[in-house]
Protein backbone atom coordinates (compact mmCIF):
# COMPACT_ATOMS: atom_id res chain seq x y z
CA UNK A 1 0.00 0.00 0.00
CA UNK A 2 1.24 3.48 -0.86
CA UNK A 3 0.64 5.93 1.98
CA UNK A 4 1.09 9.63 2.49
CA UNK A 5 2.93 10.60 5.65
CA UNK A 6 0.68 13.60 6.10
CA UNK A 7 -2.40 11.43 5.88
CA UNK A 8 -1.20 9.25 8.75
CA UNK A 9 -0.26 12.02 11.18
CA UNK A 10 -3.64 13.73 11.65
CA UNK A 11 -4.83 14.06 15.23
CA UNK A 12 -8.45 13.51 16.21
CA UNK A 13 -9.58 16.41 18.36
CA UNK A 14 -13.34 15.79 18.57
CA UNK A 15 -16.31 15.03 16.37
CA UNK A 16 -17.79 18.49 16.75
CA UNK A 17 -17.24 21.46 14.47
CA UNK A 18 -15.18 24.61 14.86
CA UNK A 19 -16.91 27.93 14.21
CA UNK A 20 -15.19 28.67 10.91
CA UNK A 21 -17.86 29.50 8.36
CA UNK A 22 -18.07 30.00 4.63
CA UNK A 23 -20.98 31.95 3.20
CA UNK A 24 -22.84 30.01 0.54
CA UNK A 25 -25.85 31.72 -1.00
CA UNK A 26 -26.79 33.13 2.40
CA UNK A 27 -26.03 29.83 4.13
CA UNK A 28 -23.08 28.90 6.32
CA UNK A 29 -20.81 25.85 6.08
CA UNK A 30 -19.00 24.91 9.26
CA UNK A 31 -15.45 23.60 8.87
CA UNK A 32 -15.29 20.21 10.61
CA UNK A 33 -12.88 19.58 13.44
CA UNK A 34 -10.95 16.34 13.60
CA UNK A 35 -8.59 14.32 11.40
CA UNK A 36 -7.06 16.13 8.41
CA UNK A 37 -6.56 13.65 5.58
CA UNK A 38 -4.13 15.88 3.69
CA UNK A 39 -6.60 16.06 0.79
CA UNK A 40 -8.45 19.06 -0.55
CA UNK A 41 -11.74 18.24 -2.26
CA UNK A 42 -14.40 20.27 -4.01
CA UNK A 43 -17.37 20.57 -1.67
CA UNK A 44 -20.68 21.26 -3.42
CA UNK A 45 -21.87 23.01 -0.26
CA UNK A 46 -19.26 25.76 -0.62
CA UNK A 47 -18.57 25.58 -4.38
CA UNK A 48 -14.83 25.46 -3.68
CA UNK A 49 -12.07 23.13 -2.54
CA UNK A 50 -11.93 22.46 1.18
CA UNK A 51 -9.57 20.47 3.39
CA UNK A 52 -11.10 17.03 3.87
CA UNK A 53 -11.38 16.67 7.63
CA UNK A 54 -12.96 13.56 9.14
CA UNK A 55 -14.66 13.21 12.51
CA UNK A 56 -12.61 10.10 13.39
CA UNK A 57 -8.97 9.46 12.72
CA UNK A 58 -8.40 7.22 9.73
CA UNK A 59 -12.12 6.53 9.14
CA UNK A 60 -14.59 8.12 6.73
CA UNK A 61 -18.34 7.58 6.90
CA UNK A 62 -19.67 7.69 3.34
CA UNK A 63 -23.24 7.47 2.10
CA UNK A 64 -24.24 7.26 -1.55
CA UNK A 65 -27.55 7.15 -3.35
CA UNK A 66 -28.03 3.75 -4.93
CA UNK A 67 -30.11 2.74 -7.97
CA UNK A 68 -33.84 2.63 -8.43
CA UNK A 69 -34.08 -0.98 -9.56
CA UNK A 70 -36.64 -1.13 -12.35
CA UNK A 71 -34.35 -1.67 -15.35
CA UNK A 72 -30.79 -2.47 -16.39
CA UNK A 73 -28.02 -0.12 -15.26
CA UNK A 74 -26.30 1.78 -18.06
CA UNK A 75 -22.95 3.49 -18.65
CA UNK A 76 -24.18 6.76 -17.15
CA UNK A 77 -24.73 4.95 -13.85
CA UNK A 78 -21.48 3.04 -14.26
CA UNK A 79 -19.48 6.22 -14.76
CA UNK A 80 -20.65 7.67 -11.44
CA UNK A 81 -20.17 4.46 -9.46
CA UNK A 82 -16.74 3.73 -10.96
CA UNK A 83 -15.55 7.28 -10.35
CA UNK A 84 -16.56 7.19 -6.69
CA UNK A 85 -15.07 3.71 -6.35
CA UNK A 86 -11.78 5.18 -7.57
CA UNK A 87 -12.03 8.02 -5.03
CA UNK A 88 -12.65 5.55 -2.21
CA UNK A 89 -9.70 3.42 -3.34
CA UNK A 90 -7.47 6.50 -3.36
CA UNK A 91 -8.56 7.36 0.18
CA UNK A 92 -7.94 3.82 1.39
CA UNK A 93 -4.82 2.72 -0.49
CA UNK A 94 -3.00 6.02 -0.79
CA UNK A 95 -4.05 7.99 2.28
CA UNK A 96 -4.74 5.19 4.73
CA UNK A 97 -8.40 6.05 5.37
CA UNK A 98 -10.88 3.24 6.01
CA UNK A 99 -14.12 4.06 4.17
CA UNK A 100 -17.36 2.83 5.77
CA UNK A 101 -19.70 3.02 2.80
CA UNK A 102 -23.47 2.51 2.92
CA UNK A 103 -25.80 2.55 -0.08
CA UNK A 104 -29.58 2.40 -0.28
CA UNK A 105 -31.41 0.38 -2.91
CA UNK A 106 -34.67 2.08 -3.90
CA UNK A 107 -36.85 -1.00 -4.31
CA UNK A 108 -40.25 0.71 -4.25
CA UNK A 109 -41.02 3.61 -6.58
CA UNK A 110 -43.53 4.75 -9.21
CA UNK A 111 -41.33 3.35 -12.00
CA UNK A 112 -41.02 -0.03 -10.30
CA UNK A 113 -44.79 -0.18 -9.81
CA UNK A 114 -45.45 0.72 -13.46
CA UNK A 115 -42.94 -1.91 -14.61
CA UNK A 116 -44.62 -4.54 -12.42
CA UNK A 117 -48.00 -3.73 -13.99
CA UNK A 118 -46.48 -4.02 -17.47
CA UNK A 119 -44.89 -7.38 -16.66
CA UNK A 120 -47.88 -8.57 -14.61
CA UNK A 121 -45.68 -9.52 -11.64
CA UNK A 122 -45.26 -8.09 -8.16
CA UNK A 123 -42.99 -5.08 -7.57
CA UNK A 124 -40.80 -7.34 -5.41
CA UNK A 125 -40.02 -9.55 -8.39
CA UNK A 126 -39.02 -6.55 -10.51
CA UNK A 127 -36.89 -4.92 -7.82
CA UNK A 128 -35.06 -8.11 -6.73
CA UNK A 129 -34.30 -9.10 -10.32
CA UNK A 130 -32.80 -5.74 -11.28
CA UNK A 131 -31.05 -5.35 -7.93
CA UNK A 132 -29.14 -8.57 -8.59
CA UNK A 133 -28.36 -7.47 -12.14
CA UNK A 134 -27.06 -4.16 -10.79
CA UNK A 135 -24.80 -5.90 -8.29
CA UNK A 136 -23.45 -8.23 -10.98
CA UNK A 137 -22.80 -5.23 -13.25
CA UNK A 138 -20.87 -3.50 -10.47
CA UNK A 139 -18.76 -6.60 -9.82
CA UNK A 140 -18.04 -6.92 -13.54
CA UNK A 141 -16.74 -3.33 -13.46
CA UNK A 142 -14.68 -4.19 -10.36
CA UNK A 143 -16.57 -1.69 -8.20
CA UNK A 144 -16.03 -2.68 -4.57
CA UNK A 145 -19.41 -3.27 -2.88
CA UNK A 146 -20.33 -0.99 0.02
CA UNK A 147 -20.05 -2.21 3.58
CA UNK A 148 -23.82 -2.62 3.48
CA UNK A 149 -26.67 -2.39 1.00
CA UNK A 150 -29.97 -1.34 2.59
CA UNK A 151 -33.36 -1.69 0.93
CA UNK A 152 -36.11 0.87 1.41
CA UNK A 153 -38.78 -1.80 1.93
CA UNK A 154 -36.81 -3.32 4.81
CA UNK A 155 -36.55 0.02 6.62
CA UNK A 156 -40.18 1.16 6.66
CA UNK A 157 -40.37 1.17 10.46
CA UNK A 158 -37.28 3.39 10.59
CA UNK A 159 -38.75 5.70 7.95
CA UNK A 160 -42.05 6.08 9.81
CA UNK A 161 -40.19 6.82 13.05
CA UNK A 162 -38.00 9.37 11.25
CA UNK A 163 -41.04 11.19 9.87
CA UNK A 164 -42.63 11.17 13.32
CA UNK A 165 -39.49 12.82 14.69
CA UNK A 166 -39.61 15.59 12.07
CA UNK A 167 -43.28 16.26 12.88
CA UNK A 168 -42.49 16.26 16.58
CA UNK A 169 -39.78 18.86 16.01
CA UNK A 170 -42.25 21.12 14.20
CA UNK A 171 -40.95 20.75 10.63
CA UNK A 172 -43.61 18.60 8.93
CA UNK A 173 -47.38 18.28 8.84
CA UNK A 174 -49.93 15.62 7.97
CA UNK A 175 -52.99 16.29 5.83
CA UNK A 176 -56.44 14.87 6.32
CA UNK A 177 -55.97 12.87 3.12
CA UNK A 178 -53.06 10.92 4.69
CA UNK A 179 -50.06 12.67 3.10
CA UNK A 180 -47.18 14.11 5.12
CA UNK A 181 -45.18 17.09 3.83
CA UNK A 182 -42.00 18.75 4.97
CA UNK A 183 -42.64 22.38 6.01
CA UNK A 184 -39.97 24.34 4.14
CA UNK A 185 -41.00 27.64 5.76
CA UNK A 186 -40.23 26.18 9.19
CA UNK A 187 -36.46 26.24 8.49
CA UNK A 188 -36.40 29.78 7.09
CA UNK A 189 -33.47 30.67 4.85
CA UNK A 190 -31.63 27.43 5.59
CA UNK A 191 -33.32 25.87 2.54
CA UNK A 192 -31.46 26.23 -0.76
CA UNK A 193 -27.86 25.30 0.11
CA UNK A 194 -27.06 24.01 -3.37
CA UNK A 195 -29.01 26.38 -5.63
CA UNK A 196 -29.14 29.53 -3.51
CA UNK A 197 -32.23 31.68 -3.83
CA UNK A 198 -35.30 29.70 -4.87
CA UNK A 199 -38.89 30.60 -5.59
CA UNK A 200 -40.61 32.55 -2.80
CA UNK A 201 -43.31 30.96 -0.65
CA UNK A 202 -46.60 30.46 -2.40
CA UNK A 203 -49.47 28.09 -3.03
CA UNK A 204 -48.86 25.28 -5.50
CA UNK A 205 -52.47 24.97 -6.52
CA UNK A 206 -52.84 21.88 -4.34
CA UNK A 207 -55.23 22.23 -1.41
CA UNK A 208 -53.22 20.02 0.92
CA UNK A 209 -49.81 21.70 0.57
CA UNK A 210 -49.03 24.86 2.52
CA UNK A 211 -46.19 25.97 0.27
CA UNK A 212 -45.18 25.17 -3.30
CA UNK A 213 -41.73 24.16 -2.05
CA UNK A 214 -43.00 21.58 0.45
CA UNK A 215 -42.15 18.00 -0.49
CA UNK A 216 -43.67 14.65 0.41
CA UNK A 217 -42.34 12.57 3.28
CA UNK A 218 -45.22 10.08 3.13
CA UNK A 219 -47.71 9.50 0.31
CA UNK A 220 -51.12 7.94 0.80
CA UNK A 221 -51.60 4.75 -1.18
CA UNK A 222 -53.56 4.62 -4.40
CA UNK A 223 -55.56 1.74 -5.77
CA UNK A 224 -53.50 -1.39 -6.57
CA UNK A 225 -50.31 0.17 -5.18
CA UNK A 226 -48.15 -1.51 -2.52
CA UNK A 227 -48.62 0.11 0.89
CA UNK A 228 -47.42 0.05 4.49
CA UNK A 229 -49.20 0.98 7.71
CA UNK A 230 -48.42 4.30 9.39
CA UNK A 231 -49.99 6.75 11.91
CA UNK A 232 -51.32 8.69 8.87
CA UNK A 233 -52.86 5.70 7.15
CA UNK A 234 -51.68 3.27 4.50
CA UNK A 235 -49.06 4.61 2.15
CA UNK A 236 -45.38 4.61 1.20
CA UNK A 237 -42.46 7.00 1.66
CA UNK A 238 -41.49 9.92 -0.52
CA UNK A 239 -38.25 9.63 -2.47
CA UNK A 240 -36.00 11.86 -0.34
CA UNK A 241 -36.84 10.54 3.12
CA UNK A 242 -35.46 7.08 2.42
CA UNK A 243 -31.87 8.33 2.08
CA UNK A 244 -31.98 10.50 5.20
CA UNK A 245 -33.43 7.64 7.24
CA UNK A 246 -31.01 4.96 6.05
CA UNK A 247 -27.95 7.21 6.37
CA UNK A 248 -29.01 8.28 9.86
CA UNK A 249 -29.73 4.68 10.81
CA UNK A 250 -26.16 3.80 9.82
CA UNK A 251 -24.19 6.86 10.89
CA UNK A 252 -26.32 8.88 13.29
CA UNK A 253 -26.44 12.67 13.23
CA UNK A 254 -23.00 13.21 11.66
CA UNK A 255 -21.91 12.11 8.18
CA UNK A 256 -18.50 12.80 6.66
CA UNK A 257 -19.18 12.36 2.93
CA UNK A 258 -22.32 12.11 0.79
CA UNK A 259 -21.96 11.36 -2.93
CA UNK A 260 -24.11 11.13 -6.03
CA UNK A 261 -24.59 12.42 -9.55
CA UNK A 262 -24.78 16.17 -10.05
CA UNK A 263 -28.42 15.86 -11.12
CA UNK A 264 -29.26 14.74 -7.56
CA UNK A 265 -28.02 17.94 -5.90
CA UNK A 266 -31.42 19.57 -6.24
CA UNK A 267 -33.97 18.70 -5.15
CA UNK A 268 -32.91 15.29 -3.79
CA UNK A 269 -29.84 16.18 -1.74
CA UNK A 270 -31.26 19.59 -0.84
CA UNK A 271 -34.29 17.89 0.68
CA UNK A 272 -32.15 15.27 2.39
CA UNK A 273 -30.26 18.02 4.19
CA UNK A 274 -33.43 19.85 5.21
CA UNK A 275 -35.18 16.85 6.69
CA UNK A 276 -32.03 15.36 8.29
CA UNK A 277 -31.10 18.57 10.06
CA UNK A 278 -34.73 19.02 11.10
CA UNK A 279 -34.79 15.53 12.60
CA UNK A 280 -31.40 15.69 14.32
CA UNK A 281 -31.79 19.39 15.19
CA UNK A 282 -28.22 19.99 14.13
CA UNK A 283 -26.58 22.76 12.15
CA UNK A 284 -24.72 20.53 9.70
CA UNK A 285 -25.66 16.93 8.99
CA UNK A 286 -23.25 16.03 6.16
CA UNK A 287 -19.91 17.84 5.99
CA UNK A 288 -19.02 17.17 2.34
CA UNK A 289 -21.14 16.58 -0.75
CA UNK A 290 -19.25 15.18 -3.75
CA UNK A 291 -21.05 15.19 -7.09
CA UNK A 292 -19.96 13.43 -10.27
CA UNK A 293 -20.44 14.92 -13.72
CA UNK A 294 -22.72 13.48 -16.39
CA UNK A 295 -21.75 11.04 -19.10
CA UNK A 296 -22.62 12.36 -22.57
CA UNK A 297 -22.47 10.85 -26.01
CA UNK A 298 -19.77 12.88 -27.75
CA UNK A 299 -21.32 15.82 -29.58
CA UNK A 300 -24.52 15.73 -27.53
CA UNK A 301 -25.43 18.07 -24.70
CA UNK A 302 -27.83 15.49 -23.27
CA UNK A 303 -26.73 13.13 -20.52
CA UNK A 304 -27.02 9.39 -21.02
CA UNK A 305 -30.29 8.35 -19.36
CA UNK A 306 -33.13 5.85 -19.55
CA UNK A 307 -35.75 8.55 -20.02
CA UNK A 308 -34.00 9.82 -23.16
CA UNK A 309 -33.44 6.25 -24.42
CA UNK A 310 -29.88 7.11 -25.43
CA UNK A 311 -28.12 4.70 -23.13
CA UNK A 312 -25.82 1.67 -23.46
CA UNK A 313 -26.25 -1.07 -20.89
CA UNK A 314 -23.23 -2.19 -18.92
CA UNK A 315 -23.73 -5.76 -20.12
CA UNK A 316 -23.70 -4.69 -23.78
CA UNK A 317 -20.68 -2.47 -23.26
CA UNK A 318 -18.65 -5.32 -21.75
CA UNK A 319 -19.23 -7.42 -24.86
CA UNK A 320 -16.65 -5.32 -26.71
CA UNK A 321 -14.66 -3.59 -23.95
CA UNK A 322 -13.05 -4.47 -20.64
CA UNK A 323 -13.57 -3.12 -17.15
CA UNK A 324 -9.97 -1.88 -17.19
CA UNK A 325 -10.60 0.13 -20.35
CA UNK A 326 -13.68 1.75 -18.82
CA UNK A 327 -11.72 2.65 -15.69
CA UNK A 328 -8.97 4.23 -17.75
CA UNK A 329 -11.67 6.14 -19.64
CA UNK A 330 -13.11 7.42 -16.34
CA UNK A 331 -9.64 8.38 -15.09
CA UNK A 332 -9.14 10.62 -18.12
CA UNK A 333 -11.32 13.40 -16.65
CA UNK A 334 -11.91 14.77 -13.18
CA UNK A 335 -14.69 12.97 -11.34
CA UNK A 336 -16.86 16.11 -11.12
CA UNK A 337 -16.53 17.00 -14.80
CA UNK A 338 -18.84 15.94 -17.60
CA UNK A 339 -17.29 13.24 -19.77
CA UNK A 340 -17.84 12.47 -23.45
CA UNK A 341 -18.24 8.86 -24.47
CA UNK A 342 -17.30 7.77 -27.98
CA UNK A 343 -15.45 5.03 -29.84
CA UNK A 344 -12.50 7.39 -30.05
CA UNK A 345 -12.34 8.01 -26.31
CA UNK A 346 -12.52 4.27 -25.61
CA UNK A 347 -9.78 3.68 -28.18
CA UNK A 348 -7.59 6.21 -26.37
CA UNK A 349 -8.16 4.40 -23.08
CA UNK A 350 -7.26 1.07 -24.68
CA UNK A 351 -4.12 2.54 -26.23
CA UNK A 352 -2.98 3.88 -22.85
CA UNK A 353 -3.36 0.45 -21.27
CA UNK A 354 -1.54 -1.22 -24.16
CA UNK A 355 1.31 1.27 -23.80
CA UNK A 356 1.65 0.38 -20.12
CA UNK A 357 1.50 -3.36 -20.88
CA UNK A 358 4.12 -3.03 -23.62
CA UNK A 359 6.48 -1.31 -21.19
CA UNK A 360 5.84 -3.92 -18.50
CA UNK A 361 6.56 -6.73 -20.96
CA UNK A 362 9.76 -5.09 -22.21
CA UNK A 363 10.97 -4.25 -18.70
CA UNK A 364 10.37 -7.83 -17.52
CA UNK A 365 12.25 -9.17 -20.53
CA UNK A 366 15.16 -6.82 -19.76
CA UNK A 367 15.20 -7.83 -16.09
CA UNK A 368 15.34 -11.53 -17.08
CA UNK A 369 18.20 -10.91 -19.50
CA UNK A 370 16.02 -11.63 -22.51
CA UNK A 371 16.23 -8.10 -23.89
CA UNK A 372 19.64 -6.63 -24.60
CA UNK A 373 19.94 -2.83 -24.54
CA UNK A 374 22.68 -0.21 -24.47
CA UNK A 375 23.86 0.89 -20.99
CA UNK A 376 21.04 2.62 -19.10
CA UNK A 377 21.00 6.15 -17.74
CA UNK A 378 20.15 4.65 -14.38
CA UNK A 379 20.42 7.84 -12.30
CA UNK A 380 18.01 9.58 -14.66
CA UNK A 381 15.46 6.75 -14.31
CA UNK A 382 15.65 6.85 -10.50
CA UNK A 383 15.08 10.59 -10.70
CA UNK A 384 12.07 10.13 -13.01
CA UNK A 385 10.60 7.57 -10.62
CA UNK A 386 10.96 9.93 -7.65
CA UNK A 387 9.33 12.74 -9.64
CA UNK A 388 6.44 10.49 -10.65
CA UNK A 389 5.77 9.47 -7.05
CA UNK A 390 5.71 13.08 -5.91
CA UNK A 391 3.59 14.34 -8.81
CA UNK A 392 1.01 11.57 -8.53
CA UNK A 393 0.59 12.02 -4.77
CA UNK A 394 0.27 15.79 -5.21
CA UNK A 395 -2.30 15.39 -7.99
CA UNK A 396 -4.49 12.96 -6.07
CA UNK A 397 -4.38 15.08 -2.93
CA UNK A 398 -5.70 17.98 -5.02
CA UNK A 399 -9.38 17.01 -5.38
CA UNK A 400 -8.51 13.52 -6.67
CA UNK A 401 -7.04 14.87 -9.93
CA UNK A 402 -6.80 11.57 -11.80
CA UNK A 403 -6.03 13.06 -15.28
CA UNK A 404 -2.90 14.70 -13.88
CA UNK A 405 -1.94 11.52 -12.02
CA UNK A 406 -2.37 9.34 -15.11
CA UNK A 407 -0.34 11.86 -17.10
CA UNK A 408 2.52 11.55 -14.60
CA UNK A 409 2.31 7.76 -14.76
CA UNK A 410 2.39 7.73 -18.57
CA UNK A 411 5.37 10.10 -18.50
CA UNK A 412 7.24 7.60 -16.31
CA UNK A 413 6.39 4.82 -18.78
CA UNK A 414 7.63 7.01 -21.64
CA UNK A 415 11.00 7.61 -19.99
CA UNK A 416 11.34 3.88 -19.30
CA UNK A 417 10.54 2.98 -22.90
CA UNK A 418 13.12 5.49 -24.15
CA UNK A 419 15.82 3.46 -22.40
CA UNK A 420 14.59 0.02 -23.51
CA UNK A 421 15.98 0.12 -27.04
CA UNK A 422 17.00 -3.41 -28.16
CA UNK A 423 20.34 -4.20 -29.80
CA UNK A 424 21.09 -7.31 -31.82
CA UNK A 425 23.93 -8.56 -29.62
CA UNK A 426 24.56 -8.49 -25.90
CA UNK A 427 27.05 -5.91 -24.71
CA UNK A 428 29.34 -6.43 -21.76
CA UNK A 429 28.33 -3.22 -19.98
CA UNK A 430 26.69 -2.96 -16.57
CA UNK A 431 22.97 -3.80 -16.55
CA UNK A 432 20.36 -1.94 -14.46
CA UNK A 433 17.50 -4.33 -13.63
CA UNK A 434 16.87 -2.90 -10.14
CA UNK A 435 15.52 0.44 -11.31
CA UNK A 436 13.08 -1.29 -13.66
CA UNK A 437 11.98 -3.54 -10.83
CA UNK A 438 11.24 -0.46 -8.73
CA UNK A 439 9.38 1.16 -11.61
CA UNK A 440 7.21 -1.92 -12.23
CA UNK A 441 6.39 -2.25 -8.54
CA UNK A 442 5.29 1.37 -8.36
CA UNK A 443 3.24 1.14 -11.56
CA UNK A 444 1.47 -1.95 -10.18
CA UNK A 445 0.73 -0.05 -6.95
CA UNK A 446 -0.75 2.94 -8.78
CA UNK A 447 -2.84 0.73 -11.02
CA UNK A 448 -4.09 -1.07 -7.91
CA UNK A 449 -5.08 2.28 -6.39
CA UNK A 450 -7.18 2.89 -9.50
CA UNK A 451 -8.68 -0.61 -9.43
CA UNK A 452 -6.79 -1.76 -12.53
CA UNK A 453 -5.14 -5.17 -12.11
CA UNK A 454 -3.66 -5.96 -15.51
CA UNK A 455 -0.89 -8.29 -14.42
CA UNK A 456 -2.75 -10.48 -11.95
CA UNK A 457 -5.71 -10.88 -14.28
CA UNK A 458 -3.33 -12.05 -16.97
CA UNK A 459 -1.74 -14.55 -14.58
CA UNK A 460 -5.17 -15.84 -13.57
CA UNK A 461 -6.05 -16.32 -17.22
CA UNK A 462 -2.82 -18.26 -17.71
CA UNK A 463 -3.83 -20.71 -14.98
CA UNK A 464 -7.28 -21.19 -16.49
CA UNK A 465 -6.14 -21.48 -20.11
CA UNK A 466 -5.21 -24.62 -22.01
CA UNK A 467 -1.79 -25.75 -20.87
CA UNK A 468 -1.26 -27.86 -24.01
CA UNK A 469 -1.67 -24.79 -26.22
CA UNK A 470 0.92 -22.93 -24.20
CA UNK A 471 3.32 -25.84 -24.45
CA UNK A 472 2.90 -25.94 -28.24
CA UNK A 473 3.56 -22.20 -28.55
CA UNK A 474 6.55 -22.54 -26.22
CA UNK A 475 8.13 -25.24 -28.36
CA UNK A 476 7.28 -23.47 -31.61
CA UNK A 477 8.82 -20.23 -30.40
CA UNK A 478 11.90 -22.04 -29.13
CA UNK A 479 12.40 -23.73 -32.52
CA UNK A 480 11.86 -20.44 -34.35
CA UNK A 481 14.37 -18.68 -32.11
CA UNK A 482 17.03 -21.27 -32.82
CA UNK A 483 16.45 -21.02 -36.58
CA UNK A 484 16.46 -17.24 -36.38
CA UNK A 485 19.70 -17.13 -34.38
CA UNK A 486 21.30 -19.43 -36.96
CA UNK A 487 20.10 -17.17 -39.79
CA UNK A 488 21.41 -14.05 -38.04
CA UNK A 489 24.95 -15.42 -37.73
CA UNK A 490 27.41 -13.04 -39.41
CA UNK A 491 30.14 -14.31 -41.72
CA UNK A 492 33.67 -13.10 -41.12
CA UNK A 493 35.39 -11.04 -43.80
CA UNK A 494 38.67 -9.15 -43.66
CA UNK A 495 37.91 -7.04 -46.71
CA UNK A 496 34.52 -5.67 -45.74
CA UNK A 497 32.13 -5.33 -42.82
CA UNK A 498 30.64 -8.60 -41.56
CA UNK A 499 27.38 -9.58 -43.25
CA UNK A 500 24.80 -12.36 -43.08
CA UNK A 501 25.31 -15.59 -45.00
CA UNK A 502 23.27 -15.12 -48.19
CA UNK A 503 21.99 -18.71 -48.20
CA UNK A 504 20.49 -18.21 -44.69
CA UNK A 505 18.44 -15.11 -45.54
CA UNK A 506 15.42 -17.21 -46.72
CA UNK A 507 15.35 -18.78 -43.24
CA UNK A 508 15.12 -15.32 -41.70
CA UNK A 509 12.28 -14.40 -44.03
CA UNK A 510 10.47 -17.61 -43.13
CA UNK A 511 10.76 -16.72 -39.44
CA UNK A 512 9.23 -13.32 -40.14
CA UNK A 513 6.42 -14.90 -42.16
CA UNK A 514 5.64 -17.33 -39.34
CA UNK A 515 5.40 -14.45 -36.88
CA UNK A 516 2.99 -12.58 -39.16
CA UNK A 517 0.87 -15.67 -39.83
CA UNK A 518 0.48 -16.46 -36.12
CA UNK A 519 -0.59 -12.93 -35.13
CA UNK A 520 -4.18 -13.18 -36.48
CA UNK A 521 -4.52 -16.44 -34.53
CA UNK A 522 -3.78 -14.65 -31.26
CA UNK A 523 -0.11 -15.73 -30.91
CA UNK A 524 2.08 -12.63 -30.76
CA UNK A 525 5.83 -13.13 -31.08
CA UNK A 526 8.06 -10.12 -30.48
CA UNK A 527 11.66 -10.18 -31.63
CA UNK A 528 13.85 -8.27 -29.22
CA UNK A 529 17.26 -8.07 -30.88
CA UNK A 530 18.67 -11.59 -30.87
CA UNK A 531 15.95 -12.95 -28.55
CA UNK A 532 12.17 -13.36 -28.75
CA UNK A 533 9.19 -13.29 -26.41
CA UNK A 534 5.65 -14.54 -26.94
CA UNK A 535 2.13 -14.13 -25.60
CA UNK A 536 -1.30 -15.52 -26.39
CA UNK A 537 -4.11 -13.07 -26.92
CA UNK A 538 -7.82 -13.70 -27.17
CA UNK A 539 -9.85 -11.88 -29.79
CA UNK A 540 -13.21 -10.66 -28.48
CA UNK A 541 -15.60 -8.90 -30.87
CA UNK A 542 -12.69 -7.50 -32.83
CA UNK A 543 -10.83 -6.31 -29.73
CA UNK A 544 -7.71 -8.05 -28.45
CA UNK A 545 -7.04 -8.64 -24.79
CA UNK A 546 -3.93 -10.29 -23.38
CA UNK A 547 -4.57 -13.72 -21.88
CA UNK A 548 -1.11 -15.00 -21.07
CA UNK A 549 2.45 -13.84 -21.26
CA UNK A 550 5.70 -15.79 -21.30
CA UNK A 551 9.21 -15.09 -22.47
CA UNK A 552 11.54 -17.33 -24.43
CA UNK A 553 15.22 -16.68 -24.63
Amino acid sequence: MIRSGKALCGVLISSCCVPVRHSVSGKAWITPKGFDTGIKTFNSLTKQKEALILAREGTATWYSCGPTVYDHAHLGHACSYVRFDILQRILTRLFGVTVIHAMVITDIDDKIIRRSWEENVSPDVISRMYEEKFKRDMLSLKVAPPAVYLRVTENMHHIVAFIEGIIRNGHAYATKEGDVYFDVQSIGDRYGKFVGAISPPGQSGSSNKRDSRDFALWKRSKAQEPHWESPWGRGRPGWHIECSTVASHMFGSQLDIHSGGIDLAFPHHENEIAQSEAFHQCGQWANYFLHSGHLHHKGSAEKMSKSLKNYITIKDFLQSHTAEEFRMFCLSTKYRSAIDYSDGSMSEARTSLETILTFISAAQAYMKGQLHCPPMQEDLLWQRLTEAKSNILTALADDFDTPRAVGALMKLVYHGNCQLQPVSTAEGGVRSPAVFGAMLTYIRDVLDVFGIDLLHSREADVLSSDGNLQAVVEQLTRFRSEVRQFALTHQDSQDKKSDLYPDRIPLLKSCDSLRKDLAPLGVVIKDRGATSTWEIKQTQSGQTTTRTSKHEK
Side-chain angles (χ1 to χ4, degrees), residues 6-35:
K6 183 176 181 181
L8 300 178
C9 67
V11 178
L12 178 64
I13 301 175
S14 73
S15 62
C16 62
C17 298
V18 293
V20 178
R21 300 171 180 268
H22 298 281
S23 177
V24 186
S25 304
K27 314 302 182 290
W29 180 75
I30 308 169
T31 302
K33 189 177 182 181
F35 175 72

Side-chain angles (χ1 to χ4, degrees), residues 333-347:
T333 57
K334 295 182 179 179
Y335 73 93
R336 56 188 175 91
S337 300
I339 184 170
D340 288 333
Y341 173 82
S342 67
D343 290 341
S345 58
M346 289 309 306
S347 178

Side-chain angles (χ1 to χ4, degrees), residues 89 132-146 149 314 318 323 327:
R89 288 172 181 269
E132 291 307 310
K133 291 180 183 295
F134 167 78
K135 290 177 179 177
R136 286 200 296 269
D137 283 341
M138 293 300 102
L139 288 176
S140 68
L141 292 171
K142 301 185 178 180
V143 173
Y149 284 109
I314 295 169
L318 290 175
R327 281 184 173 265

Side-chain angles (χ1 to χ4, degrees), residues 162 243-253 276 279-280 285:
F162 203 88
C243 289
S244 293
T245 300
V246 168
S248 296
H249 178 58
M250 277 294 299
F251 303 121
S253 61
S276 297
F279 175 84
H280 295 296
W285 169 60

Side-chain angles (χ1 to χ4, degrees), residues 254-269:
Q254 184 66 67
L255 177 64
D256 289 320
I257 301 170
H258 194 312
S259 65
I262 187 61
D263 54 321
L264 297 179
F266 187 89
H268 186 50
H269 292 163

Side-chain angles (χ1 to χ4, degrees), residues 500-507:
L500 300 178
Y501 289 100
D503 57 344
R504 301 182 185 180
I505 291 178
L507 292 175

